Amino acid sequence: MTDRHGRRIVAVVVTFNRLELLQRQLARLAEVPELDEILVVDNASTDGTAAWLRTQDVTAELLESNTGGAGGFARGLALAIERGADLAWLMDDDGLPAVDCLTRLLECGDLDFWGPVVVDEADPERLVFPIRLPGGTRTVRAMADVRAAATDGLIRDVVIPFNGVLVTRELVERIGVPRAEFFIWGDDVEYLWRAEAAGARIATVTGAVVHHPSVGELGSPMMLGRTTYNFTPSDLKHYCMARNNTVNLRRYRGWPYVLMFWAKTLWFFTLTRPRAARLSMSARAAYAGLRGDFTGHRRYLR
């Protein structure tokens, strides 16, 4: 079934070792009437995901090794376009779109890269991933603030990638797919900034909703609460963040932003949460990013 404009729509889901959440999500996607195909990219899960997918009425791309979210979305989006998708609906395995989420997204025409709000499934009036409003530094976390900031149900120039976003075939043909070598953390930002640089029409649709498990408060306070830092206990995630953020800021924002990010990292691991090992790791990751070396994260894989 195609939508009323005759466009073929393919859902692209990337999963890794979260079979129960994937089963919940695919049951929901089966209720979405506009979808023509569900394509699942399994990042070499070890929890029985591959065997279960073989019994389902979906297209399953079973990878031989874990390529991270970046590699999964790069492969999935490329395959969706190869299989004739006019629109690809991209999502991780832990989001649960409302039954009418895609319907509401499709009601918004003349966009290239757009998506829903992502709310806490335990508190639907609170965002899981806060939205920084365009034209300033204000960040909103409550749905009431999101609705107040919207114009005709849209917050333009803002979207939370890979949590139920739609991307057009035309945009993919212009800018390509996500950078698989990023593995995790920063691949979504890079794709958004690449789309912005290409002049893509981007928006968040406030009436379209994806429910998502809480991820807690994003950002650890630093500098007496004046700003935050994306601290994670995971060495793998931190290495990828430090490397990929350096690459993204250098390419799309310029050296002043790179230096500010490095200064925040130095402050955080020297004064806020002293960790000499993390400072050393951050330096190695940043240097790898500047050299274009995207292999260093492998030492932290389990």
Side-chain angles (χ1 to χ4, degrees):
M1 178 184 294
T2 55
D3 78 337
R4 61 190 178 88
H5 298 290
R7 296 173 294 190
R8 175 174 167 79
I9 305 173
V10 176
V12 177
V13 177
V14 175
T15 189
F16 176 67
N17 277 352
R18 292 197 286 208
L19 179 56
E20 289 187 6
L21 286 174
L22 178 66
Q23 290 171 331
R24 179 184 76 157
Q25 186 184 73
L26 294 191
R28 172 57 51 83
L29 293 182
E31 301 178 75
V32 178
E34 297 91 349
L35 281 178
D36 293 281
E37 184 177 11
I38 301 170
L39 168 61
V40 182
V41 179
D42 176 42
N43 256 320
S45 294
T46 58
D47 63 350
T49 293
W52 181 77
L53 283 172
R54 291 189 182 99
T55 70
Q56 302 303 301
D57 185 22
V58 300
T59 301
E61 181 77 352
L62 308 178
L63 303 183
E64 296 182 356
S65 62
N66 183 5
T67 64
F73 281 114
R75 179 62 186 135
L77 183 53
L79 187 56
I81 297 302
E82 289 174 13
R83 295 177 67 83
D86 298 300
L87 292 172
W89 196 24
L90 311 178
M91 64 192 75
D92 283 319
D93 53 13
D94 51 357
L96 187 66
V99 174
D100 66 349
C101 179
L102 183 57
T103 302
R104 290 178 175 268
L105 291 174
L106 292 173
E107 289 172 351
C108 303
D110 299 323
L111 294 170
D112 304 298
F113 191 35
W114 70 110
V117 289
V118 185
V119 302
D120 189 331
E121 61 184 22
D123 182 5
E125 284 299 307
R126 183 172 178 81
L127 301 182
V128 169
F129 303 109
I131 293 176
R132 175 170 289 183
L133 299 179
T137 60
R138 184 186 175 208
T139 298
V140 295
R141 293 173 172 81
M143 277 301 298
D145 294 329
V146 171
R147 297 184 190 104
T151 301
D152 296 327
L154 298 179
I155 299 179
R156 293 191 177 271
D157 303 320
V158 175
V159 75
I160 305 296
F162 307 162
N163 283 279
V165 295
L166 280 171
V167 58
T168 65
R169 164 184 284 274
E170 291 78 11
L171 183 61
V172 177
E173 290 173 344
R174 283 163 51 201
I175 71 172
V177 299
R179 294 185 64 171
E181 68 271 24
F182 272 38
F183 194 76
I184 54 172
W185 277 47
D187 54 299
D188 51 352
V189 172
E190 193 282 330
Y191 202 63
L192 172 60
W193 288 356
R194 198 189 328 163
E196 287 179 348
R201 297 162 297 180
I202 297 166
T204 292
V205 181
T206 61
V209 174
V210 165
H211 298 269
H212 192 286
S214 175
V215 296
E217 290 292 335
L218 293 178
S220 300
M222 60 179 289
M223 295 181 179
L224 302 177
R226 292 185 178 91
T227 187
T228 61
Y229 189 83
N230 281 332
F231 173 76
T232 170
S234 165
D235 287 344
L236 172 65
K237 290 180 179 179
H238 178 76
Y239 183 92
C240 290
M241 187 272 287
R243 179 192 64 197
N244 299 345
N245 208 26
T246 295
V247 172
N248 286 341
L249 291 172
R250 183 187 182 194
R251 177 169 183 179
Y252 295 102
R253 296 296 187 263
W255 273 107
Y257 287 86
V258 176
L259 296 176
M260 284 190 288
F261 168 63
W262 289 351
K264 283 182 65 173
T265 300
L266 180 63
W267 179 296
F268 189 84
F269 291 117
T270 301
L271 300 175
T272 305
R273 200 170 297 192
R275 293 195 180 187
R278 274 293 172 93
L279 275 178
S280 176
M281 178 194 296
S282 301
R284 292 197 311 272
Y287 183 54
L290 295 178
R291 291 186 294 116
D293 179 359
F294 291 91
T295 62
H297 67 272
R298 296 174 186 167
R299 75 186 72 175
Y300 303 109
L301 291 174
R302 296 290 185 266

